[in-house]
Amino acid sequence: MSHQQQFIAQYQSLIEEFAQTQQVPFYAYDIDGLAAHICELVNDDIKLWFAVKANPLSSVIQTLAQQGMQFDVASSGELTQVLAQGVNPSHILNTGPAKSRAQIQHFLTNGVNIFVAESVNQLALINELAKENDVRVSVLLRVQLRFEQSSDNPLGGNELTPFGLGAAEWQAIELSDYGNIDVIGLHIFQWGNMLEAQQLISLWQAMISPLKALADTLGFELKVLDLGGGLGVPYDGDERTLSWPALKAALVAIKRTAGVEELWLELGRFAVAEFGYYVNRVVDIKHNYQQDLAVMQGGINHLLRPAITNQPFPVTLLRSSSAQQKPFHIHGPLCTSLDKLGTLALPSDLAVDDYLIFSQCGAYGFTESMPFFLCHELPAEVVISNGKVSVIRPALPASSYLY
Ligand SMILES: Cc1ncc(COP(=O)(O)O)c(C=O)c1O
């Protein structure tokens, strides 16, 4: 039994009771499980940052901060949210391809001192604002490399993306032109949701020599190597395939080979995905053209990822059933056939008012979705800890966001 199945079995009646009073779909987080998982990840060899875009909920940020994780923040909104949880600005770095003057100034005003530069213009702007603010800032240059292995990866893989620049483009700059910046390292992240440890490790290994060569050409000491995220979680209901101790051992070896003082990772889904669930009510069931459909109260307005990646989240019927399973096309309430959460096996006695619980929803869930289309309610977000449900963000009606 996976730990998600154990969690669902343990809290089945509590979740069902809450769902009945709630009447609106909601996200539930296993915050104790999350804390234990992060405690296993944090270590003295590899510095771990949480990519806040994966889940900016206050309780998630607080739990990670308590376990010693730092924060990779990509917008002024994420920064405000992380600071509001009491995180020290020295534990925050700023990544992202669209850093406006106002955003960089907001970060500097709030004491953030580490930036990942994604273009030459960005580097110049960070330098200009650092000078105006009379501060020195630490910068990692984000590099895009091309490898033999091709892919249609969400982070772009070998494709041209707005994330960073090729080594040849960076080689053309003169670091002495950027007097208020200390370039401390390089950042690289091109492959998302990798499930094969050896593939991930080989990619990381292949990055070392071109990155070291770039640092040598530019004439700075490569103190920090930031390998971004990309550690995958299974969306097919299987157990996690990546073993953290094995990956960590490989990363320690990479750190040694690269000769860097610090090796950083910015974890998104590997940190939080497995500890979030989305609970959703069946509103209609129909049999049409010899196939079975379930129409749900919430769809891609609450959980968009299946429509963008064509990859459903694993689903379970909340109540127990011994009926044989059969495939159901699971649709949401929006007036578009894109509003589909997958075609997944469920007990054949699935009925109106049953609850489905989707797992692996702790990352890229609610805040990645399109909540306003058709003016439905926003889902609540709750934390389950010590046998108790606490509402962190209540479900809100459309009137809360319509003007
Ligand atoms: C700069 C950066 N770092 C880290 C991450 C986290 O990625 P993952 O969820 O694959 O760990 C992302 C995700 O898009 C990212 O853009």
Side-chain angles (χ1 to χ4, degrees), residues 86-143:
V87 172
N88 190 305
S90 65
H91 292 171
I92 297 174
L93 71 81
N94 179 211
T95 61
K99 296 185 185 72
S100 64
R101 178 178 286 272
Q103 185 180 304
I104 298 168
Q105 183 56 54
H106 184 220
F107 276 69
L108 290 174
T109 305
N110 282 285
V112 175
N113 188 258
I114 311 174
F115 293 83
V116 172
E118 313 240 4
S119 73
V120 178
N121 279 343
Q122 227 179 60
L123 187 69
L125 194 53
I126 295 168
N127 185 57
E128 188 186 319
L129 288 165
K131 199 167 170 195
E132 274 177 37
N133 287 264
D134 199 19
V135 289
R136 293 197 68 75
V137 297
S138 298
V139 165
L140 279 74
L141 307 179
R142 185 164 182 176
V143 184

Side-chain angles (χ1 to χ4, degrees), residues 51 53 72 95 142 155 187 189 193 229-230 266-269 364:
K53 57 182 76 73
D72 156 26
T95 61
R142 185 164 182 176
L155 260 293
H187 176 291
F189 175 32
N193 200 29
E266 296 146 10
L267 300 181
R269 89 185 75 232
Y364 308 118

Side-chain angles (χ1 to χ4, degrees), residues 79-238:
L79 176 62
T80 305
Q81 174 73 341
V82 171
L83 292 172
Q85 310 317 314
V87 172
N88 190 305
S90 65
H91 292 171
I92 297 174
L93 71 81
N94 179 211
T95 61
K99 296 185 185 72
S100 64
R101 178 178 286 272
Q103 185 180 304
I104 298 168
Q105 183 56 54
H106 184 220
F107 276 69
L108 290 174
T109 305
N110 282 285
V112 175
N113 188 258
I114 311 174
F115 293 83
V116 172
E118 313 240 4
S119 73
V120 178
N121 279 343
Q122 227 179 60
L123 187 69
L125 194 53
I126 295 168
N127 185 57
E128 188 186 319
L129 288 165
K131 199 167 170 195
E132 274 177 37
N133 287 264
D134 199 19
V135 289
R136 293 197 68 75
V137 297
S138 298
V139 165
L140 279 74
L141 307 179
R142 185 164 182 176
V143 184
Q144 265 179 42
L145 295 175
R146 294 267 160 104
F147 294 93
E148 271 172 29
Q149 173 209 346
S150 68
S151 75
D152 56 353
N153 201 282
L155 260 293
N158 278 340
E159 303 284 303
L160 182 71
T161 72
F163 311 122
L165 286 174
E169 320 304 320
W170 281 128
Q171 269 166 21
I173 65 166
E174 278 296 339
L175 289 188
S176 53
D177 293 343
Y178 306 92
N180 281 61
I181 282 179
D182 297 316
V183 175
I184 58 165
L186 296 173
H187 176 291
I188 182 158
F189 175 32
Q190 295 170 221
W191 279 268
N193 200 29
M194 303 286 284
L195 289 163
E196 291 284 329
Q198 202 40 57
Q199 203 183 12
L200 191 53
I201 293 166
S202 303
L203 274 169
W204 285 335
Q205 285 166 338
M207 292 166 183
I208 302 175
S209 117
L211 294 180
K212 279 177 73 158
L214 174 60
D216 285 347
T217 311
L218 285 175
F220 72 92
E221 187 193 344
L222 187 60
K223 292 187 190 140
V224 176
L225 183 55
D226 182 341
L227 296 172
L231 282 68
V233 296
Y235 287 99
D236 53 10
D238 283 350

